[in-house]
Structure formats: C-alpha cells, structure tokens
DNA sequence: CTCCATCGATGACGTTTGTCAACGATGTGA
DNA sequence: TCACATCGTTGACAAACGTCATCGATGGAG
C-alpha cells in the first residue's frame, strides 16, 4: 500500500527511533506539524492497517515500529521519480541540479569522490 | 497549484509537442493509459483551471499549451524528493542508487564525465 | 470498589484525485 | 435549413487524504 505524505512524517519519526509509543510519536511530530493528538493517532491507525507499521502490545498500550525499511521506501520513491521525470537515468537528474545551480562545492566534492569509488 | 499524477501525464504530452488540440491529446494519452475521452477532457479542464495549461481559441476548439515549463516542474519535484528523503543533499541519493545496484556502466560513465565537467 | 486518566478504535467531514458520462452550444454537410 | 458530429463544461461518484473529536475499554490511585 502507498504511504501518503502526512503518513511519511510518522514513518520518519519511527525510522529515527523505534519502537515508540503513540505518546512519544505525538510528542515528536505533533507540535512541529501543528497536528493534534487525534490527527497523529489516525495517521498511526492507517499505517498499521496498511501494514507499514507494526503494533506490539505492551501492557495497555502498543509499541509501534516500522514494518517497511526506510531503504526500501527511499529506493522506491527515488526510482519512481527517476522513471517519471528522467527516463530512468541518473545522469540527467544530476545535470538538472547542476544547471539549476543547486550544487554546493561540497556536493560536487562528494559526488566526485563517490564516482571515483564507484567506477573502480 | 499542485499537478497531480494523472494530470502530469497530460503535461508530459504537451511538453513533448505543443500546442495540441484535445483530440490530439486524447489520441496521445488515452489508449496507453486506458482512459476514455471524458477522463482526458476532465484532466485537461482541471489543468486549465489550475493555470498549468493555457487554452487558446482556434475556431470552434482550443489549442492547449503548457503554461509551466517542464524544467520548473522537474526542478521542484526533484528538490522536493531530495529535501524529503536525503536531507537536501545529492550525494546520498546517488549512493542510494549505487548501493541498490541500479547503476549501469553507462550511468557510471555518464556521471563520471558529468562530474569532471562540473568540477572545473 | 470507584473514579479518573489514557489508549486505541471509530466516526466524521471537507478536499483532492481518478474516472466517466451527459449536456448544451455550435459548426457543417446534405 | 436541419440533422448530426464534435467541443468544452459540468455533474457525478468512489476512493484517498488531511484533520479532528468522540467513545468504549481498561488500568491505576485513592
């Protein structure tokens, strides 16, 4: 099932630290996003129903933990963007950032080192 | 306004060739996506309302053309992904594809050439 | 044992999206 | 001129999404 934009905020919290109680999650993402307790609970429920998050009973409450790895999610999202906008190829994406002047010197240095390492 | 996923298919057609009549657009994207005439018309209407597409009267019909540049759209989408998933930095994104074994030799060669060019 | 706080479940509601059909205006061929 | 084909507009409707409140169960404090 697809993870929506608001839901992904919850996922990020869980990927950062896991497991968490709903209380902890609310503390983590409620304020920064202007969400009430009810909103976060609903998002959590939907994620559990989607099997993106697991809920382990712990006394009267649950401990929540991601069931999908961040890496898998990130890979799917990235591949999706690449396919949709760049014909599945990586170089044009990098070109796009370069052309847009969005690459810092550090970015370029990192890329350079990275390509060095990969290409051997 | 935000361009939805289905709407972006129409946009891609218009970015490829412009202007187009609704008939041409339907011919272009209808079949491949399993959309009826009505569906494409509705998507077009919404894009016009969103000011993402312009409609110039041409006799009894319109000539449709994009009002947003593909480059702007691509830049925004790419930046969004980078910010959401890679802390705004490009190198980790490239690493992700590398780690996932999604880079062909050609990709690597292109990247290498690209980085060469950029870094000077 | 009773009352209260808290948790998860559920209902609710407006908006967006995906999908399609019906309608009214209008140009055109017979 | 009249019937038909075609265009854009609009209505419709289910599903997903964003957002929030209410409710029933239950565990713990007094």
């Amino acid at each position: 099932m697809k993870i929506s934009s608001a839901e992904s905020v919850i996922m990020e919290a869980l990927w950062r630290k896991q497991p968490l109680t709903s209380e902890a999650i609310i503390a983590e993402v409620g304020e920064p996003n202007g969400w009430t307790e009810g909103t976060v609970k609903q998002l959590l429920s939907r994620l559990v129903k989607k099997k993106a998050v697991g809920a382990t009973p712990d006394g009267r409450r649950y401990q929540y933990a991601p069931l999908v790895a961040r890496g898998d999610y990130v890979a799917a999202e990235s591949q999706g963007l690449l396919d949709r906008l760049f014909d599945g190829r990586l170089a044009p994406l990098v070109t796009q950032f370069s052309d847009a002047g969005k690459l810092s010197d550090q970015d370029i240095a990192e890329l350079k080192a990275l390509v060095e390492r990969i290409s051997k």
Side-chain angles (χ1 to χ4, degrees), chain A:
Chain A
M1 206 89 71
K2 192 85 183 84
I3 293 172
S4 81
S5 158
E7 286 162 1
S8 77
V9 173
I10 311 282
M11 295 303 294
E12 289 291 347
L14 285 172
W15 281 322
R16 238 175 289 132
K17 184 158 184 296
Q18 127 205 189
L20 291 177
T21 63
S22 65
E23 187 191 1
I25 297 175
I26 291 167
E28 187 83 14
V29 306
E31 172 74 34
N33 293 91
W35 288 339
T36 70
E37 191 181 311
T39 299
V40 177
K41 284 184 184 177
Q42 175 65 284
L43 291 173
L44 252 179
S45 291
R46 288 180 184 166
L47 284 168
V48 170
K49 183 173 312 172
K50 287 184 185 181
K51 312 248 195 244
V53 163
T56 308
D58 173 26
R60 206 167 82 70
R61 48 171 76 190
Y62 285 130
Q63 294 288 345
Y64 295 96
L67 288 183
V68 307
R70 182 167 199 277
D72 290 350
Y73 175 75
V74 166
E77 293 283 308
S78 305
Q79 189 69 55
L81 183 94
L82 218 64
D83 290 344
R84 275 195 308 119
L85 302 182
F86 298 99
D87 197 30
R89 300 186 334 162
L90 187 55
L93 189 162
V94 178
T95 301
Q96 124 77 27
F97 280 105
S98 171
D99 289 353
K102 293 288 188 179
L103 296 188
S104 65
D105 290 345
Q106 190 196 342
D107 285 330
I108 296 176
E110 286 176 351
L111 268 191
K112 190 166 183 167
L114 190 50
V115 171
E116 286 301 320
R117 189 153 49 73
I118 292 175
S119 62
K120 68 166 176 47

